[in-house]
């Protein structure tokens, strides 16, 4: 037992002098907390991006599809929910939250205030991402450049490539008198009869447009369309100008001599 | 060796912190001011013997000295050093909770009274200390998370702001925790018929 009241203070001072202990320089703390804030900002941007893509994916859900697949609306919603993006948003959001708590004054704020303010920032940045088309760009960039990524996601292309169940989608390859030739996402050509098809007045189908078709398969690579809509939901009733050639979703354009045929290439 | 100019006695803790960065002797003044308070606080948290508490305190002072430049001027030095002591104590407690030689604080070195009082205590002070010991005993019966907040509030006599800074919890949480802990404490006091002491 140490008996002197100030022994510990003396021992510590002696140790400081003997070992030449020095206070950590101020710049170290400035750098440490500056880096922490940088990480928080990066996390907020990433979480906003993930939220923006989640929103984009959810608003892109085709609600007419479940009846063709024999699924309930709720089952279909959970089937197509972009789990990857939602989980990424939650994970990065939680990391940002805990990093904020680690800032010198982070603990002073009630948890609900941090969460509310954080979510507000995330929603605003995500809305900006969505407005400027960044969400879709991020989604497409990651999907197209990370091998195997599409397996993590509900695949809209796959859902719409079910002719036996009345769903077909692809790019118009040729416009004929009573129909169109569509190349689907698996590079199959389909002869689509549009004689009795519901197409908005004043709109015309043209080569290069990406469309989704609800109808009925009538034979090998033969399809009768009941309604045709633009592939992208936000295209509204506008089919828009034809996309530029060599759309990534389709690969190389089909050979001209095969137009109208049912050949798989 | 450690005799310091009397003028430093008049300095506030925060002024001494600024001076300590350049002159480690000033830090000695700060250590002296807090040595006994922190020993007592550490003993209350880790419930170990005094030597263990002194070892922890050395780490606390060294850590505080190394991090002097990280001291936030908007805090009281007292809150800051208590926070370091709290974190070190909890860290020690977690690492050694199976090996800690449990010592009841009131039995340590003839009890809390010896720490808090001198030989020439008046009767009123003795009574006050008796109450303090009883309250400490009651607090010891509560779960750890209630104990740490009640120790700071009633035994270390810290206000809500200071407790918030020491435990790094929002004031609202501190207030709610104290409220719940007090209720629990009152229940325990009721069992011992000393609820009037609270």
């Amino acid at each position: 037992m140490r008996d002197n009241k100030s022994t510990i203070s003396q021992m510590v001072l002696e140790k400081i002098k003997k070992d030449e202990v020095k206070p950590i320089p101020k710049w170290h703390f400035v750098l440490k907390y500056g880096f922490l804030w940088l990480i928080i900002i990066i996390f907020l941007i990433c979480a906003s991006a993930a939220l923006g893509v989640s929103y984009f994916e959810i608003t892109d859900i085709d609600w007419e599809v479940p009846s063709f697949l024999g699924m309930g609306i709720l089952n279909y919603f959970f089937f197509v929910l972009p789990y990857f993006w939602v989980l990424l948003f939650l994970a990065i959001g939680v990391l940002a939250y805990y990093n904020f708590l680690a800032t010198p004054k982070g603990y002073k704020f009630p948890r609900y205030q941090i969460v509310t303010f954080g979510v507000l920032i995330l929603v605003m940045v995500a809305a900006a991402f969505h407005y400027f088309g960044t969400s879709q760009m991020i989604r497409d960039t990651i999907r197209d450049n990370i091998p195997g990524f599409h397996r993590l996601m509900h695949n809209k292309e796959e859902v719409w490539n079910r002719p036996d169940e009345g769903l077909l989608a692809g790019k118009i390859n040729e416009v004929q008198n009573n129909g169109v030739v569509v190349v689907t996402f698996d590079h199959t050509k389909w002869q689509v009869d549009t004689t009795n098809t519901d197409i908005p007045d004043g709109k015309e189908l043209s080569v290069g447009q990406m469309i989704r078709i609800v109808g009925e398969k009538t034979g090998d690579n033969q399809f009768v369309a009941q309604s045709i809509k633009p592939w992208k939901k936000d295209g509204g009733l506008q089919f828009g100008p034809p996309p530029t050639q060599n759309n990534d979703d389709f690969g190389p354009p089909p050979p001209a001599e095969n137009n109208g045929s049912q050949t798989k290439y | 060796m450690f005799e310091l100019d009397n003028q430093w006695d008049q300095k506030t803790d925060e002024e001494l912190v600024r001076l300590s960065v350049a002159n480690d002797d000033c830090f000695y003044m700060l250590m002296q001011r807090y040595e006994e308070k922190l020993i007592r606080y550490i003993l209350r948290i880790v419930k170990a013997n005094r030597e263990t508490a002194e070892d922890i305190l050395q780490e606390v002072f060294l850590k505080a000295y190394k991090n002097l430049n990280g001291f936030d001027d908007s805090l009281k030095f007292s809150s800051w050093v208590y926070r370091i002591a709290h974190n070190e104590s909890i860290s020690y407690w977690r690492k050694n909770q199976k090996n800690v030689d449990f010592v009841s604080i009131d039995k340590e070195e003839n009890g809390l009274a010896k720490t808090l009082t001198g030989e020439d205590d008046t009767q009123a002070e003795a009574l006050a200390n008796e109450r303090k010991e009883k309250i400490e005993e009651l607090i010891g019966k509560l779960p750890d998370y209630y104990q740490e907040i009640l120790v700071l509030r009633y035994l270390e006599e810290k206000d809500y702001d200071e407790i918030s800074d020491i435990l790094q919890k929002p004031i609202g949480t501190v207030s709610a925790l104290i409220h719940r802990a007090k209720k629990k404490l009152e229940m325990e006091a009721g069992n011992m018929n000393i609820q009037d002491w609270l």
Side-chain angles (χ1 to χ4, degrees), chain A residues 66-219:
Chain A
S67 60
F68 289 93
L69 301 180
M71 293 174 90
I73 293 283
L74 203 61
N75 280 349
Y76 179 69
F77 176 72
F78 286 113
F79 173 63
V80 297
L81 194 66
Y83 289 101
F84 173 82
W85 293 107
V86 172
L87 291 176
L88 190 69
F89 157 68
L90 291 174
I92 302 176
V94 168
L95 285 174
Y97 169 81
Y98 280 107
N99 273 280
F100 180 80
L101 284 185
T103 59
K105 298 233 181 342
Y107 68 89
K108 284 183 179 281
F109 297 91
R111 307 297 188 251
Y112 76 91
Q113 269 184 19
I114 301 173
V115 172
T116 308
F117 191 64
V119 167
L120 210 63
I121 291 176
L122 290 175
V123 167
M124 285 195 301
V125 180
F129 278 153
H130 191 75
Y131 180 79
F132 292 110
T134 317
S135 301
Q136 189 183 350
M137 191 195 76
I138 293 168
R139 195 278 306 260
D140 292 348
T141 306
I142 290 181
R143 186 189 61 185
D144 298 342
N145 292 295
I146 298 180
F149 180 78
H150 65 278
R151 289 195 201 101
L152 292 173
M153 302 295 299
H154 147 69
N155 195 332
K156 187 180 174 185
E157 287 83 351
E158 196 182 301
V159 169
W160 277 92
N161 194 18
R162 296 170 187 240
D164 290 334
E165 289 160 285
L167 303 172
L168 197 69
K171 181 155 70 172
I172 298 174
N173 183 252
E174 185 187 349
V175 178
Q176 299 167 336
N177 285 339
N178 57 350
V180 289
V181 175
V182 168
V183 181
T184 56
F185 292 99
D186 62 354
H187 305 280
T188 306
K189 277 190 172 182
W190 284 78
Q191 183 72 45
V192 179
D193 184 344
T194 59
T195 315
N196 297 310
T197 306
D198 176 21
I199 298 175
D201 290 342
K203 307 297 171 194
E204 284 190 6
L205 300 172
S206 60
V207 173
Q209 288 171 341
M210 294 173 69
I211 54 173
R212 53 201 164 110
I213 310 160
V214 171
E216 189 182 347
K217 182 183 174 184
T218 53

